[in-house]
Amino acid sequence: MSAPGWPPDPFRVLPPAVALCCGLLAALAAFGWVAAGWTPLLAAALVASTIAPLALLLVLARALTRRGREVGRAADALATMERTGGAWVPPPGMLAGSGETAVLFAAIDGVGRRWRRAIHEPQPQLSRLIGALAEGVVVITGSGLVSLVNHAARGRFPPDRLSIGSSVFDVFMRDALAQALRRSRDERCAVTAPLALVDGDRVEARVAAMDDPFGALIVFEAAGGAGEGVEHNLRLHGLPEPAPPPTLDTPLAELPALVLDTETTGLDPRRDRVVAVGAVPMRGRRSYPAAAIDLLVNPGRPIPDRSVAVHGISDAMVATAPAMTAIATELRRAAAGHVMVGHSIDFDVAVLTASGAEVVDAGKPAMRLCTMRLAVALDPAVDDLDLGSVAAAHGIDVVGRHTALGDALVTADLFTRLLDRLAAEGVTTLGGALDVAERGRRLIEERRTRDA
């Protein structure tokens, strides 16, 4: 969670106060000069010559601050894109409007599109070569989903039996393929193995297990012969594998978690509303930024200047964004079967619920882990509980802050480091981590009571 309104932007908070003080001083000065015998016109001219330079400086300072904020938000966008391997897409609100800022974000979006194509899509020449092979070529994810298949492989099986997104176990018997994959991982090379097929036949195949998250490559003789074209969706490799719902006994090394952060109109979940949501799924220590959620939300009310000063999300940016009720189903689907993780996660859940998206059952506190509480429990001497400070203390390069997805990515890195700390102390299950977090909650409450 970011803290809208703190630290305040002086050129948003001070101008009204400065203007009022200057007006009072000008009135007093003019009254004094007139009382001393000066003409009203001369007094007014002296007041104007005194106040005008100060007013001009305030206007220039505010303009420079706004420009600096826009440049900072662009830097955050590039940092987030780097952390997600090009998977991040700027929310539509960033590309709205005209002017230099819109042009800048449009250029960033163009870089991201080219980056995603370069990472996730085979080059046309490579696709033609794979498609021209007489052997069947299949690439699968770690969970067995087909992400690439050439003409020869498709021709070996009935139509639609081997298609993008289908399970490879619809055509290959699971035990034989799993055994070949284990051999390949153990020997760290491709292996030749007879693979039993679901239709009762067998094929001699070369199987190469690739480092997670890339799955495996399967090459086999195919009577269908060579053809043209390759079907693929390599983005499937960046998606998390299904996991059973967590219980108190779930090992932290296998914990399905959704790291969540929100940007809001303020700090009171009873009155304030969400303007952006960022979330990153995790399985144990591994995060899946390619499956991240990054959404702007129309809060249905003006966003205070003090909040815009922190997260940079203006009324214009969310004018065409969906209301929370329109994306609540997507958030609930992403949260289902996951422990919610965040820095002050209770605030994020509360403000999401107040905004119209109850992503977790309020009666299930076991479905939440707070990184702030874990950090304090593991290091009671920590002073600054801000996400950036805690992350930096754990050796994390803090980039992309004060965007919902940027903060969620930082929190995911922090959670990974905290899992290592928990393991070092012998805490290996969700129940144990919740006990540690509860200890951190008590320490934070004691500190706040002492400092009050």
Side-chain angles (χ1 to χ4, degrees), residues 112-134:
R113 292 176 187 273
R114 290 190 292 273
W115 192 347
R116 290 189 292 276
R117 283 197 298 268
I119 291 176
H120 297 294
E121 299 180 9
Q123 296 299 316
Q125 298 89 339
L126 181 60
S127 295
R128 285 196 293 270
L129 287 172
I130 296 174
L133 293 174

Side-chain angles (χ1 to χ4, degrees), residues 1-39:
M1 181 202 78
S2 296
W6 189 263
D9 181 342
F11 298 110
R12 287 186 179 273
V13 177
L14 294 181
V18 171
L20 179 61
C21 292
C22 289
L24 290 174
L25 289 174
L28 290 173
F31 179 80
W33 288 330
V34 170
W38 294 34
T39 65

Side-chain angles (χ1 to χ4, degrees), residues 4-9 12-13 265-266 271-272 304-310:
W6 189 263
D9 181 342
R12 287 186 179 273
V13 177
T265 59
R271 296 184 298 104
D272 291 304
D305 284 351
R306 64 181 182 276
S307 299
V308 178
V310 175

Side-chain angles (χ1 to χ4, degrees), residues 4 7 14 20 57 102 110 137 146 167 202 216 247-248 258 283 321 377 382 423 450:
L14 294 181
L20 179 61
L57 285 174
V137 178
V146 176
S167 173
R202 300 172 72 87
T247 68
L248 295 180
L258 186 70
R283 295 292 183 271
V382 62
R450 184 177 64 250

Side-chain angles (χ1 to χ4, degrees), residues 318-330:
V318 300
T320 59
M324 179 58 72
T325 52
I327 62 174
T329 300
E330 179 181 353

Side-chain angles (χ1 to χ4, degrees), residues 177-437:
L177 180 55
Q179 183 177 358
L181 289 171
R182 282 195 297 271
R183 281 183 52 207
S184 177
R185 290 192 183 96
D186 292 342
E187 299 176 17
R188 305 185 66 81
C189 65
V191 299
T192 300
L195 298 183
L197 304 179
V198 173
D199 61 12
D201 202 354
R202 300 172 72 87
V203 296
E204 195 74 12
R206 293 283 292 172
V207 178
M210 295 178 284
D211 290 338
D212 199 42
F214 297 108
L217 169 69
I218 306 170
V219 181
F220 55 91
E221 293 293 332
E228 292 186 0
V230 171
E231 294 180 5
H232 59 81
N233 182 5
L234 299 182
R235 291 182 179 87
L236 292 172
H237 291 277
L239 301 180
E241 299 181 14
T247 68
L248 295 180
D249 295 325
T250 298
L252 292 176
E254 303 170 7
L255 184 69
L258 186 70
V259 182
L260 178 74
D261 186 82
T262 60
E263 301 296 342
T264 63
T265 59
L267 287 173
D268 186 347
R270 296 169 298 179
R271 296 184 298 104
D272 291 304
R273 296 296 179 262
V274 172
V275 298
V277 181
V280 185
M282 295 184 69
R283 295 292 183 271
R285 298 182 72 264
R286 182 183 165 199
S287 60
Y288 294 82
I293 293 173
D294 187 26
L295 298 170
L296 288 177
V297 182
N298 189 328
R301 64 188 63 187
I303 304 173
D305 284 351
R306 64 181 182 276
S307 299
V308 178
V310 175
H311 51 55
I313 300 174
S314 63
D315 292 330
M317 291 176 63
V318 300
T320 59
M324 179 58 72
T325 52
I327 62 174
T329 300
E330 179 181 353
L331 291 177
R332 281 193 290 267
R333 186 184 302 115
H338 290 72
V339 169
M340 306 299 292
V341 176
H343 209 70
S344 293
I345 186 62
D346 286 348
F347 171 85
D348 294 304
V349 171
V351 75
L352 280 171
T353 300
S355 299
E358 189 173 347
V359 294
V360 292
D361 189 337
K364 294 182 179 178
M367 293 299 103
R368 303 180 202 169
L369 273 175
C370 177
T371 52
M372 180 189 294
R373 294 174 180 176
L374 289 173
V376 170
L378 293 169
D379 186 6
V382 62
D383 292 324
D384 192 343
L385 301 182
D386 175 74
L387 172 61
S389 299
V390 176
H394 284 78
I396 297 169
D397 184 17
V398 180
V399 293
R401 283 297 320 279
H402 296 308
T403 63
L405 180 56
D407 283 359
L409 289 165
V410 171
T411 304
D413 285 348
L414 174 59
F415 186 54
T416 299
R417 306 294 175 92
L418 293 173
L419 288 179
D420 292 339
R421 294 279 303 277
L422 289 169
E425 294 200 2
V427 179
T428 59
T429 66
L430 173 59
L434 288 168
D435 290 341
V436 174

